[in-house]
């Protein structure tokens, strides 16, 4: 567990000792049973959402509860053998004052946003909803690189087939099967993720302020592209 709290124009970094009302917080932690139980007792989040945090392989989703929003998104990454894509899950609770993120695997983009928020007080001071935007924006940007890589592989195979040279038929077939598998994972994970971003981008919400919803709309546009 790691906690950021912005107070008096500076960022405090630590653990549970920083979790108290009165200032914006970001709590980032692993979905261990004791952590989920503590978050539930501290913030009274809905039991169904807490149960989702305890069981990975959730589909991307957005749920609205009294006083909080719950979302699930994925960071897609190639498997070690490049045969498919892994879906690294991030479960988030958002209130007017607190962002709580659960994830079991290290996620470089989230770590970089956390470090930025630790060094730049103005970011967390803009509200936990803005910090959640920063996380989602970073994830969407890295997915552009994945799509570009897939496109490059497809073009390379097309060139080899046209030229009748390079890999033999069996090798080409294996590569095509792997690309189809990766493409299926992309569609299955990223298509519903757009709906999560769109829900957060809706104006007039109590938790996501209109000035932050504008930024989420930009993430929606990138996700569609």
């Amino acid at each position: 567990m790691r906690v950021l709290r912005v107070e008096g124009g500076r960022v405090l970094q630590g653990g549970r000792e920083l979790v108290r009302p009165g200032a914006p917080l970001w709590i980032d932690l692993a979905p261990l049973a004791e952590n989920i139980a503590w978050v539930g007792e501290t913030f009274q989040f809905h039991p169904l959402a807490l149960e989702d945090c305890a069981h990975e392989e959730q589909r991307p989703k957005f749920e609205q509860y009294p006083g909080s929003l719950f979302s699930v998104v994925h960071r897609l990454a190639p498997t070690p053998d490049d045969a498919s894509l892994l879906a690294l899950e991030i479960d988030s609770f958002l209130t007017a004052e607190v962002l709580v993120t659960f994830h079991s695997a290290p996620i470089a983009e989230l770590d970089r946003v956390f470090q930025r928020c630790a060094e730049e007080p103005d970011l967390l001071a803009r509200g936990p909803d803005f910090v959640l935007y920063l996380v989602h924006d970073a994830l969407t940007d890295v997915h552009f690189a994945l799509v570009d890589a897939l496109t490059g592989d497809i073009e390379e195979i097309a060139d080899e087939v046209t030229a009748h040279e390079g890999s033999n038929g069996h090798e080409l077939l294996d590569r095509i099967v792997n690309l189809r598998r990766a493409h299926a994972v992309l569609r299955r994970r990223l298509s519903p993720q757009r709906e999560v971003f769109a829900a957060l981008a809706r104006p007039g919400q109590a938790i996501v302020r209109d000035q932050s919803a504008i930024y989420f709309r930009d993430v929606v546009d990138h996700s569609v592209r």
Side-chain angles (χ1 to χ4, degrees):
M1 178 189 300
R2 54 185 179 175
V3 180
L4 294 180
R5 178 186 181 92
V6 63
E7 197 169 33
R10 64 192 185 98
V11 179
L12 306 177
Q13 188 167 355
R16 294 186 185 185
E17 73 279 0
L18 297 178
V19 179
R20 57 187 182 274
L25 292 169
W26 181 4
I27 305 168
D28 183 58
L29 65 175
L32 305 175
E34 59 267 32
N35 287 342
I36 294 172
W38 176 78
V39 165
E41 293 168 6
T42 303
F43 299 104
Q44 300 300 304
F45 292 142
H46 199 282
L48 289 177
L50 292 167
E51 185 178 340
D52 283 345
C53 295
H55 300 91
E56 291 197 71
E57 282 302 308
Q58 298 293 321
R59 62 177 178 82
K61 67 169 67 175
F62 173 86
E63 302 287 352
Q64 189 164 5
Y65 297 101
S68 68
L69 303 176
F70 176 68
S71 62
V72 178
V73 298
H74 296 127
R75 196 287 196 198
L76 301 181
T79 56
D81 61 0
D82 283 331
S84 187
L85 295 174
L86 294 172
L88 309 179
E89 185 174 320
I90 303 174
D91 304 324
S92 303
F93 290 93
L94 181 66
T95 75
E97 199 171 65
V98 179
L99 171 63
V100 179
T101 49
F102 284 102
H103 55 101
S104 58
I107 298 174
E109 292 73 28
L110 186 147
D111 288 343
R112 283 195 287 270
V113 174
F114 194 92
Q115 187 61 35
R116 281 188 63 197
C117 290
E119 296 171 352
E120 303 176 40
D122 289 348
L123 295 179
L124 184 54
R126 294 177 70 170
D129 53 348
F130 184 76
V131 174
L132 184 60
Y133 149 73
L134 292 175
V135 173
H136 287 177
D137 186 56
L139 296 179
T140 302
D141 284 346
V142 80
H143 291 151
F144 270 109
L146 280 177
V147 172
D148 286 344
L150 280 174
T151 301
D153 288 343
I154 290 168
E155 290 175 349
E156 181 181 329
I157 289 176
D159 290 342
E160 290 182 14
V161 171
T162 302
H164 299 288
E165 61 184 21
S167 301
N168 63 38
H170 290 297
E171 291 172 343
L172 281 176
L173 183 59
D174 287 342
R175 291 170 63 190
I176 290 170
V177 168
N178 288 341
L179 284 171
R180 286 171 61 89
R181 186 182 297 118
H183 181 259
V185 172
L186 272 174
R187 288 186 62 83
R188 187 168 65 250
R189 300 294 185 177
L190 296 189
S191 294
Q193 207 148 286
R194 292 199 301 264
E195 302 306 316
V196 174
F197 302 149
L200 289 163
R202 284 198 298 264
Q205 299 187 57
I207 294 176
V208 179
R209 299 158 301 156
D210 286 349
Q211 56 263 45
S212 295
I214 293 172
Y215 289 96
F216 279 110
R217 287 200 288 274
D218 187 59
V219 177
V220 174
D221 291 341
H222 289 176
S223 183
V224 170
R225 287 171 54 197

